[in-house]
Amino acid sequence: MIHIAVCDDNSVALDRIVRLLQEYRREKQIPISWHTFFSAAEMVASMQSAEYDLLLLDILMPGVSGMDAAREIRTFDQGVKIIFLTTSPDYAVEGYAVNATDYLLKPVSRERIFQALDRV
Protein backbone atom coordinates (compact mmCIF):
# COMPACT_ATOMS: atom_id res chain seq x y z
CA MET A 1 0.00 0.00 0.00
CA ILE A 2 1.29 3.44 -0.95
CA HIS A 3 0.26 6.15 1.53
CA ILE A 4 0.02 9.69 0.15
CA ALA A 5 -0.54 13.04 1.84
CA VAL A 6 -2.09 15.68 -0.43
CA CYS A 7 -1.85 19.28 0.72
CA ASP A 8 -3.43 22.27 -1.02
CA ASP A 9 -5.27 25.26 0.43
CA ASN A 10 -7.54 25.44 -2.64
CA SER A 11 -10.43 22.97 -2.38
CA VAL A 12 -10.99 22.89 -6.17
CA ALA A 13 -7.33 22.00 -6.78
CA LEU A 14 -7.43 19.44 -3.96
CA ASP A 15 -10.52 17.78 -5.44
CA ARG A 16 -8.86 17.62 -8.86
CA ILE A 17 -5.76 15.93 -7.43
CA VAL A 18 -7.92 13.41 -5.57
CA ARG A 19 -9.85 12.61 -8.78
CA LEU A 20 -6.55 12.05 -10.60
CA LEU A 21 -5.36 9.75 -7.80
CA GLN A 22 -8.62 7.77 -8.06
CA GLU A 23 -8.11 7.39 -11.82
CA TYR A 24 -4.50 6.39 -11.33
CA ARG A 25 -5.40 3.75 -8.72
CA ARG A 26 -8.16 2.34 -10.94
CA GLU A 27 -6.09 2.24 -14.14
CA LYS A 28 -2.83 0.96 -12.67
CA GLN A 29 -4.45 -1.42 -10.19
CA ILE A 30 -2.07 -0.15 -7.51
CA PRO A 31 -3.16 -0.07 -3.87
CA ILE A 32 -2.87 3.57 -2.80
CA SER A 33 -4.54 5.59 -0.10
CA TRP A 34 -4.40 9.30 0.65
CA HIS A 35 -5.20 11.84 3.30
CA THR A 36 -5.94 15.45 2.37
CA PHE A 37 -4.87 18.61 4.15
CA PHE A 38 -5.72 22.28 3.62
CA SER A 39 -2.61 23.54 5.43
CA ALA A 40 1.04 22.53 5.42
CA ALA A 41 1.26 22.92 9.21
CA GLU A 42 -1.59 20.42 9.65
CA MET A 43 0.11 17.94 7.31
CA VAL A 44 3.48 18.25 9.09
CA ALA A 45 1.78 17.75 12.46
CA SER A 46 0.06 14.60 11.17
CA MET A 47 3.45 13.11 10.33
CA GLN A 48 4.07 12.59 14.06
CA SER A 49 1.47 9.80 14.04
CA ALA A 50 1.14 8.83 10.36
CA GLU A 51 3.70 7.62 7.87
CA TYR A 52 3.52 8.63 4.22
CA ASP A 53 5.43 7.36 1.21
CA LEU A 54 4.67 10.44 -0.89
CA LEU A 55 3.68 14.07 -0.31
CA LEU A 56 1.83 15.98 -3.04
CA LEU A 57 2.43 19.49 -1.81
CA ASP A 58 1.31 22.92 -2.97
CA ILE A 59 3.92 25.63 -2.40
CA LEU A 60 1.96 28.90 -2.25
CA MET A 61 -0.26 28.65 0.82
CA PRO A 62 -1.07 31.07 3.64
CA GLY A 63 0.83 30.53 6.87
CA VAL A 64 3.44 27.82 6.39
CA SER A 65 4.35 27.49 2.71
CA GLY A 66 4.84 24.12 1.09
CA MET A 67 8.55 24.84 0.70
CA ASP A 68 8.89 25.72 4.40
CA ALA A 69 7.04 22.52 5.29
CA ALA A 70 9.35 20.49 3.05
CA ARG A 71 12.42 21.98 4.76
CA GLU A 72 10.99 21.09 8.16
CA ILE A 73 10.05 17.57 7.04
CA ARG A 74 13.59 16.95 5.81
CA THR A 75 14.88 17.54 9.35
CA PHE A 76 13.12 14.35 10.52
CA ASP A 77 12.31 12.37 7.35
CA GLN A 78 14.82 12.05 4.52
CA GLY A 79 12.99 9.19 2.81
CA VAL A 80 9.53 10.48 2.02
CA LYS A 81 9.10 11.46 -1.64
CA ILE A 82 7.90 15.00 -2.34
CA ILE A 83 6.18 16.18 -5.50
CA PHE A 84 5.42 19.90 -5.56
CA LEU A 85 2.23 21.04 -7.31
CA THR A 86 2.17 24.79 -7.80
CA THR A 87 1.18 27.65 -10.08
CA SER A 88 4.62 29.24 -9.78
CA PRO A 89 7.83 28.12 -11.51
CA ASP A 90 9.80 30.41 -9.16
CA TYR A 91 10.62 27.73 -6.57
CA ALA A 92 11.81 24.94 -8.86
CA VAL A 93 15.49 25.39 -7.98
CA GLU A 94 14.66 25.42 -4.25
CA GLY A 95 12.96 22.07 -4.80
CA TYR A 96 16.37 20.50 -5.31
CA ALA A 97 17.47 21.67 -1.85
CA VAL A 98 14.73 19.54 -0.26
CA ASN A 99 15.35 16.63 -2.63
CA ALA A 100 11.97 16.90 -4.36
CA THR A 101 11.13 14.05 -6.71
CA ASP A 102 9.24 16.31 -9.11
CA TYR A 103 7.87 19.82 -9.61
CA LEU A 104 4.58 20.07 -11.49
CA LEU A 105 2.89 23.27 -12.61
CA LYS A 106 -0.86 23.65 -12.12
CA PRO A 107 -3.19 22.90 -13.60
CA VAL A 108 -1.52 19.51 -13.53
CA SER A 109 -2.30 17.37 -16.55
CA ARG A 110 -3.38 13.77 -16.12
CA GLU A 111 -0.44 12.60 -18.22
CA ARG A 112 2.13 14.57 -16.21
CA ILE A 113 0.93 13.48 -12.78
CA PHE A 114 0.66 9.85 -13.93
CA GLN A 115 4.29 10.02 -15.13
CA ALA A 116 5.40 11.45 -11.78
CA LEU A 117 3.47 8.79 -9.86
CA ASP A 118 4.95 6.04 -12.05
CA ARG A 119 8.45 7.23 -11.13
CA VAL A 120 7.62 7.12 -7.43
Side-chain angles (χ1 to χ4, degrees):
M1 175 70 73
I2 299 168
H3 301 285
I4 303 172
V6 185
C7 184
D8 198 308
D9 63 312
N10 180 309
S11 62
V12 173
L14 197 60
D15 288 346
R16 176 169 166 63
I17 295 163
V18 167
R19 279 195 311 277
L20 290 169
L21 288 173
Q22 289 168 337
E23 286 180 34
Y24 184 82
R25 178 174 59 189
R26 188 172 43 253
E27 279 188 29
K28 304 286 183 168
Q29 301 283 310
I30 295 174
I32 59 174
S33 66
W34 52 84
H35 191 91
T36 58
F37 301 92
F38 287 107
S39 81
E42 181 187 0
M43 185 195 70
V44 171
S46 81
M47 294 179 77
Q48 302 305 316
S49 60
E51 194 170 309
Y52 301 107
D53 302 300
L54 171 63
L55 309 177
L56 298 177
L57 185 56
D58 185 19
I59 292 179
L60 302 175
M61 294 185 283
V64 178
S65 76
M67 191 61 71
D68 289 339
R71 281 191 208 96
E72 182 178 345
I73 289 162
R74 286 300 183 224
T75 66
F76 63 86
D77 189 337
Q78 292 294 314
V80 68
K81 306 286 187 208
I82 299 173
I83 296 176
F84 287 113
L85 308 170
T86 185
T87 56
S88 174
D90 298 343
Y91 301 91
V93 172
E94 279 184 70
Y96 288 104
V98 295
N99 196 26
T101 301
D102 214 330
Y103 192 98
L104 308 180
L105 292 176
K106 293 180 190 173
V108 177
S109 73
R110 181 180 184 279
E111 177 183 342
R112 188 72 178 88
I113 198 165
F114 276 34
Q115 289 171 349
L117 292 169
D118 284 346
R119 276 197 301 280
V120 170

